[in-house]
Amino acid sequence: MKDTIAELEKFWELKGEKNVKMYIDDLSKFTFVPFIGSGMSVPFGCPTWSNFLSKIINDFFELSEREPLIDLLKKEEFLELADKLNDILGNGVVEEQVRNEFGFTDIKRVNKDRNYLSFLKNKSSINTFVTTNFDSVIETSLGFSADKIYLPSNLLKCNDIVDKIRHGESCIIKLHGTASQPDSIILTGKTFEAMYKRENTALQELVDYLWNRTVLLFLGCGLKNDYLVEHLQDLASTKKVNWHYAILPYPNETEIIKRRRELAALKIRPIWYEKGNHEQILIILNLITGDYGLQGSLETNEQKRSSELTVNVNNGNIGTQTMLNIKYLNGNINQ
């Protein structure tokens, strides 16, 4: 493991990503909420979102019809593509394919070096998981019962879930629904519009709470081209110190500047790993939770907890958001 950490550090140094270690240190000081994207379900046997949409194109369209759809797929215009598929195939057809592709419960067993879910549950105090995934990987892997799972269709009162998060109760928040209940799925522009563009919806309130009152760590998320990202950009534009984190593959050199700007607009600090080397995600999580120290230094979780209220972040000054997050997640701040 030490050799692997050294390789990762060498990669950061080579790319000039000197802030990565500071971001890892930031995250090690307080409880964060994992925000799980589709990339993290691939080891468990689920298709990527891109592969799922590609399968629909291949299964339902003749060769002569595919070109404009494939073009949207290549551009990663997934929401526009989903809308087009829905318009052509009719309401409910794409949701049915979601059920067929993501609704299975026979989750593939994953080796320890890639099972980030078990790691997060066993090595940290994390109880809340947020996801936009339709699959059942999180609940199946961690043994969550149905009453611990919240969907857009049963977000009756945002405060109910906020209280659970604040008091450390275990729950999974599936922001875009679940494959086993097609009527809960948020997939097309129309359903996104209803949930994110109208004022005072329960889902919008919950996302706003997560953004403003917790520290989010995005895992397996593309963070591109959908209404959720647009909503996060709106939230990010109103706060100067509200920053979150994401473990992401390092882009191609031709794309890195554009990617940095996109993430900066979202107030997200990237922790990069080598593209294609997904095992490094778990190494980074090890570093965040204190199992391994950077450059040979190892600080125990107990030492971190005792020092978390005096840690300096944000260029040497305790940030308002950081202090707020630490106190709030420990139940010391009331709304």
Side-chain angles (χ1 to χ4, degrees):
M1 177 65 79
K2 288 183 179 179
D3 290 341
T4 312
I5 293 172
E7 291 172 7
L8 191 53
E9 288 188 282
K10 186 176 180 180
F11 171 74
W12 293 331
E13 184 178 354
L14 178 67
K15 298 298 182 183
E17 296 295 335
K18 60 183 180 180
N19 293 330
V20 168
K21 293 181 183 180
M22 182 172 65
Y23 297 161
I24 288 174
D25 189 58
D26 288 351
L27 276 170
S28 72
K29 298 302 192 292
F30 41 73
T31 301
F32 57 86
V33 175
F35 195 117
I36 309 297
S38 62
M40 301 307 288
S41 292
V42 173
F44 297 88
C46 297
T48 63
W49 190 237
S50 177
N51 287 342
F52 165 69
L53 292 172
S54 179
K55 187 175 188 304
I56 293 180
I57 293 171
N58 291 333
D59 287 352
F60 287 88
F61 293 88
E62 302 289 348
L63 287 172
S64 59
E65 301 175 291
R66 295 177 187 175
E67 185 176 347
L69 303 175
I70 292 173
D71 186 53
L72 289 173
L73 188 64
K74 288 179 178 178
K75 292 178 180 177
E76 297 186 344
E77 298 288 348
F78 298 141
L79 183 59
E80 185 177 345
L81 176 55
D83 278 342
K84 191 169 288 291
L85 294 174
N86 185 70
D87 290 343
I88 296 171
L89 299 175
N91 290 332
V93 175
V94 178
E95 286 84 352
E96 174 67 8
Q97 302 318 302
V98 169
R99 189 187 74 84
N100 293 341
E101 294 298 318
F102 296 98
F104 64 93
T105 56
D106 185 20
I107 303 299
K108 180 181 175 182
R109 294 191 55 153
V110 174
N111 293 335
K112 285 179 64 177
D113 62 349
R114 296 196 72 186
N115 195 334
Y116 71 99
L117 284 170
S118 293
F119 178 86
L120 286 173
K121 190 67 176 174
N122 295 332
K123 297 290 185 178
S124 66
S125 56
I126 293 169
N127 294 303
T128 300
F129 291 82
V130 180
T131 185
T132 51
N133 296 349
F134 301 125
D135 59 69
S136 61
V137 166
I138 301 175
E139 53 265 46
T140 301
S141 298
L142 300 181
F144 278 75
S145 57
D147 63 318
K148 302 290 187 183
I149 301 170
Y150 288 85
L151 308 173
S153 53
N154 63 13
L155 290 178
L156 300 179
K157 291 184 179 179
C158 175
N159 287 339
D160 292 345
I161 303 176
V162 168
D163 286 342
K164 289 182 183 295
I165 297 171
R166 290 180 58 197
H167 292 99
E169 295 183 39
S170 297
C171 64
I172 302 173
I173 301 168
K174 306 189 78 167
L175 293 176
H176 293 170
T178 190
S180 61
Q181 298 182 39
D183 62 334
S184 73
I185 291 173
I186 298 176
L187 178 62
T188 63
K190 184 178 180 180
T191 52
F192 272 100
E193 186 86 22
M195 288 297 182
Y196 288 108
K197 293 297 184 180
R198 295 178 187 172
E199 293 183 1
N200 301 321
T201 66
L203 183 61
Q204 187 182 111
E205 288 179 32
L206 177 59
V207 171
D208 292 2
Y209 166 79
L210 290 167
W211 188 263
N212 291 319
R213 296 289 189 172
T214 73
V215 176
L216 297 172
L217 174 60
F218 292 89
L219 294 159
C221 297
L223 295 169
K224 294 181 180 180
N225 303 335
D226 64 26
Y227 276 107
L228 174 59
V229 172
E230 287 182 16
H231 186 65
L232 296 182
Q233 285 176 330
D234 290 340
L235 292 172
S237 68
T238 65
K239 301 284 184 178
K240 290 184 179 180
V241 296
N242 234 50
W243 287 80
H244 300 273
Y245 299 81
I247 300 177
L248 294 165
Y250 195 82
N252 298 329
E253 295 299 334
T254 56
E255 300 172 347
I256 183 61
I257 292 178
K258 178 184 176 184
R259 194 67 176 128
R260 284 198 187 108
R261 291 181 67 169
E262 290 171 347
L263 294 169
L266 284 166
K267 296 290 194 299
I268 290 176
R269 294 166 172 160
I271 301 173
W272 304 110
Y273 66 91
E274 293 181 77
K275 195 171 185 178
N277 195 348
H278 304 295
E279 287 75 12
Q280 290 181 348
I281 296 173
L282 200 61
I283 295 170
I284 292 170
L285 290 175
N286 269 285
L287 294 171
I288 291 170
T289 57
D291 274 23
Y292 299 95
L294 288 165
Q295 296 180 332
S297 64
L298 176 62
E299 184 181 26
T300 66
N301 286 329
E302 186 59 37
Q303 288 171 324
K304 286 176 180 174
R305 281 192 292 271
S306 67
S307 65
E308 65 181 4
L309 293 181
T310 59
V311 62
N312 288 329
V313 296
N314 293 336
N315 297 322
N317 298 307
I318 282 285
T320 303
Q321 178 221 5
T322 301
M323 287 299 295
L324 179 65
N325 285 331
I326 292 171
K327 292 179 180 178
Y328 197 91
L329 292 172
N330 285 330
N332 296 326
I333 292 181
N334 295 316
Q335 283 189 308

